[in-house]
Amino acid sequence: MLEIAATEAPVPPGAYDAVLASSAKGIDCAGTDAEPYKPLPLHVVGAKTAKAAREHGWRPDIVAGNADAILPLLRARYPAPAHFLYLAGRDRQAALETGLRDAGHVVTAVDVYEARAAEALSEEARAALAAGEIDIVLHYSRRSAEIFLRLASAAGLTAQLGRLAHVALSQDVAAPLKAAGLSVSCAEAPDEAHLLKAAVALL
């Protein structure tokens, strides 16, 4: 539903205390401007982000499954006000930044990538949906769920969606699906492992 593209946004020079990333794409799209900050502690959300960081020569320090999990760890590590460089996506949840700023920290967020909405379902996806070959749809973000609904409607496949099992990463992700009248299962925790567990439970 989303096509990832680097923005090539420059990273402003600064006296940062640590670097944050909540997506592997933030690491992949950071560019050479971020190179001078590799010696700083890097704190990331998600095992995939940590893996991407290591592949690019970073050394992840704090790794947690989501923003709610990493915030208390960051607050404990940095009891005094700190300045964080956040390698972020243009469309994102504000929980991480808000939580740090509320604790007195400074966050400089650089939108190093953007997730552009797909203009249409791929021919493979359209054909599989039309033929009833798909059983379960995994929804990772509210925005991608909304795009999926719109593109399925544009392809004349709205009726087929009610026959599918929908599994969402969280209640927030599930909201537009439920508003469309679909039955949705939610992961017990907002990470991929729990999302896949919820999907397997439906098999």
Side-chain angles (χ1 to χ4, degrees), residues 5-19:
T7 65
E8 299 183 0
V11 175
Y16 303 111
D17 297 296
V19 182

Side-chain angles (χ1 to χ4, degrees), residues 5 8 12 20 44 60 82 162:
E8 299 183 0
L20 305 173
V44 304

